[in-house]
Amino acid sequence: MSLPVLPSPPSPPSLQPDYGRALALRAMASAYTELPRYLLAPEVAGLLHHVADWTRHAFVNTLWNTGARLNEALALRRRDFRLNDAIPHVVIRTAKQRRAGSGRPKKGTSPNRVVPLSDPGYVDEMRRLFASVKEEFETDGETGERRALPVWTVSDRTVRNWLTRATDTAARAGVRLSIDVSPHTFRHSFAMHMLYHHVPPKVLQSLLGHEKFESTEVYTKVFALDVAASQQVRFSMDTAGALQLLRTLPDTL
């Protein structure tokens, strides 16, 4: 089954990172054992190409475009996607907050976080998905309340199986990824992709729903290496010039 084609806004031009340098930095940063393993945008695009089923493709693309945890993405309902607003976005309720129930959140916290959806291709994909699939509901046996079901009513194991099949298919086509791919890989990849596009770390903390900045700060280590390497700081000096300089220094120094 193919998705109907709906008009989509033109993609604005954007400066893409130097992915050759990004690959080199990732390899250098691999010495940090605590650094999350992530994919770069060309790798994600190559993997998505091998997710043939369009509902599965939309789910994996949602992980990539939102940085949602697996259980958060599986809980998303159609009404959580605000695709026709002036700024398309999705409202995600964090896993901890969902488990806490419907009571008032702690002071200074929100039961939701909002992630802008800035990729027109992804927004168009979700619009086409919702135009093709009816929203499903369930009725509470005790209260009779009619509740919307999540967009994807599958288990986390099912999602992992989707990714295994996609990576196997990609490998047979000659597309080999440098790391093992899990649903959480896309959360790490989202974080690094946002940092590569100069999103401030404190903003990223909000998008990821991290309570403590330390959880977000780990992603910045690779950029510390980038800054250090790009300065081209040299420690060697022409010996003859150095000796001449030292001989001309006043004795009082």
Side-chain angles (χ1 to χ4, degrees):
M1 180 179 178
S2 60
L3 289 171
V5 177
L6 298 178
S8 59
S11 300
S14 62
L15 296 176
Q16 295 298 326
D18 180 344
Y19 285 112
R21 185 174 181 85
L23 283 168
L25 285 168
R26 185 176 65 181
M28 182 164 56
S30 64
Y32 292 125
T33 56
E34 77 278 14
L35 185 70
R37 300 302 182 228
Y38 61 93
L39 297 172
L40 297 169
E43 296 171 305
V44 176
L47 180 60
L48 281 169
H49 175 73
H50 293 282
V51 183
D53 181 275
W54 53 274
T55 55
R56 301 177 187 181
H57 186 284
F59 182 80
V60 177
N61 215 5
T62 295
L63 294 175
W64 166 230
N65 276 264
T66 67
R69 301 173 179 90
L70 176 57
N71 52 12
E72 293 171 344
L74 287 174
L76 288 172
R77 302 159 300 173
R78 184 180 300 216
R79 65 191 61 184
D80 296 324
F81 290 87
R82 316 292 168 82
L83 303 178
N84 296 315
D85 286 15
I87 301 177
H89 59 277
V90 62
V91 179
I92 299 174
R93 193 175 182 192
T94 69
K96 289 181 180 178
Q97 289 159 340
R98 289 201 317 275
R99 287 195 296 268
S102 58
R104 293 176 61 86
K106 293 180 180 179
K107 186 178 180 180
T109 65
S110 170
N112 304 318
R113 72 178 187 272
V114 177
V115 178
L117 302 175
S118 55
D119 189 303
Y122 170 70
V123 172
D124 180 61
E125 177 177 14
M126 295 306 298
R127 284 175 177 158
R128 289 183 288 126
L129 177 68
F130 292 154
S132 303
V133 178
K134 289 184 178 180
E135 187 172 19
E136 296 184 359
F137 296 85
E138 64 178 358
T139 303
D140 189 295
E142 295 183 2
T143 65
E145 180 186 1
R146 193 165 178 259
R147 292 190 295 257
L149 289 173
V151 178
W152 297 275
T153 52
V154 297
S155 67
D156 59 350
R157 181 178 291 276
T158 296
V159 175
R160 295 176 193 279
N161 289 338
W162 292 349
L163 292 176
T164 298
R165 292 194 195 100
T167 52
D168 289 347
T169 303
R172 288 195 296 271
V175 178
R176 300 189 180 278
L177 304 174
S178 57
I179 62 172
D180 293 332
V181 178
S182 73
H184 212 69
T185 301
F186 295 94
R187 180 169 168 82
H188 297 321
S189 304
F190 167 87
M192 293 302 298
H193 191 65
M194 296 298 272
L195 289 174
Y196 268 116
H197 283 80
H198 311 294
V199 172
K202 292 295 288 185
V203 175
L204 180 62
Q205 177 187 0
S206 175
L207 296 176
L208 292 173
H210 284 157
E211 185 176 349
K212 297 179 179 179
F213 181 65
E214 288 79 1
S215 301
T216 310
E217 199 172 23
V218 66
Y219 295 108
T220 65
K221 283 195 172 184
V222 65
F223 294 98
L225 295 174
D226 191 15
V227 170
S230 64
Q231 295 303 311
Q232 297 290 305
V233 177
R234 299 188 180 187
F235 293 87
S236 59
M237 185 176 179
D238 174 67
T239 302
L243 293 174
Q244 182 179 0
L245 175 65
L246 292 172
R247 289 175 183 136
T248 59
L249 291 176
D251 295 336
T252 56
L253 291 179

